[in-house]
Amino acid sequence: AVDWVREARVERHWPNRVVVRIAERTPVAFVVMPSAANAPAVTALIDAEGVILDAPQRANFVFPVLLGVSRGQPASQRRERVALFLDFLGSAGSVANQISEVDLTDPENLKVIALIEGVPMRLWLGNANFRARLDNFLSNYAEIRRLLPQTTAFDLRLERHITALKGAGRGR
């Protein structure tokens, strides 16, 4: 019944010993879920299997925020979205630790906020070839900054093309 427990096993060893084995869940991201009307959103954690975990009172975690996941979704859908998120993070290379937000509201178009050379960038990455798209963007970043110094949102879904998004706002 405790959401942080992935598996618990109790074994009786004859004659008078009991062994308890507990495997805890390991969170991989924060999730922000809407709450009831006029109430603030609730922040929780999520593990690789898509299980939403209540945040402990005293803990320090450093994870990106994962959007597009909620308690109301079927467990299989949450699991698929977390798998896509982890696939992206695994392919992000050195940029992975600069990712602050991943939006999977539309799993066909993963959107991220990444801190690139101190500037928060909103990048639209689609649902595949994350590494190639990020590498293309990073290798052209100096020229992009020179030509479009105020632009902070880019569509990288077309192979070997980078499209600046004007007026993208929050990009959601």
Side-chain angles (χ1 to χ4, degrees):
V2 178
D3 57 359
W4 279 82
V5 175
R6 184 173 44 84
E7 180 181 17
R9 213 174 328 153
V10 178
E11 300 172 357
R12 180 174 182 214
H13 291 245
W14 187 257
N16 59 358
R17 209 171 82 165
V18 173
V19 176
V20 178
R21 290 187 171 90
I22 297 177
E24 287 186 320
R25 296 188 179 280
T26 304
V28 296
F30 286 105
V31 289
V32 178
M33 294 171 293
S35 195
N38 298 327
V42 176
T43 301
L45 295 160
I46 194 163
D47 77 346
E49 297 173 3
V51 175
I52 296 173
L53 310 167
D54 292 327
Q57 298 251 343
R58 293 186 183 121
N60 291 324
F61 296 107
V62 179
F63 297 122
V65 173
L66 180 58
L67 302 174
V69 175
S70 70
R71 289 188 197 275
Q73 293 170 326
S76 60
Q77 187 178 40
R78 286 195 313 265
R79 191 172 23 259
E80 288 171 5
R81 289 184 183 200
V82 172
L84 183 60
F85 163 75
L86 292 173
D87 179 42
F88 162 70
L89 274 188
S91 65
S94 63
V95 179
N97 63 353
Q98 297 169 327
I99 304 293
S100 63
E101 180 179 289
V102 177
D103 186 347
L104 278 168
T105 303
D106 175 7
E108 295 299 312
N109 185 20
L110 183 136
K111 299 173 189 170
V112 304
I113 296 178
L115 195 63
I116 309 293
E117 295 183 9
V119 180
M121 294 285 162
R122 182 167 303 281
L123 306 174
W124 295 15
L125 293 161
N127 64 357
N129 303 324
F130 303 126
R131 181 59 180 237
R133 292 171 182 177
L134 281 172
D135 286 347
N136 182 42
F137 179 76
L138 293 172
S139 66
N140 291 292
Y141 183 72
E143 185 68 8
I144 291 168
R145 291 295 346 131
R146 189 180 70 73
L147 294 172
L148 303 165
Q150 300 302 312
T151 306
T152 59
F154 297 91
D155 188 340
L156 310 179
R157 293 177 290 178
L158 297 174
E159 299 306 318
R160 298 185 313 259
H161 292 278
I162 299 170
T163 305
L165 299 172
K166 186 174 181 177
R170 295 253 327 141
R172 291 188 182 155

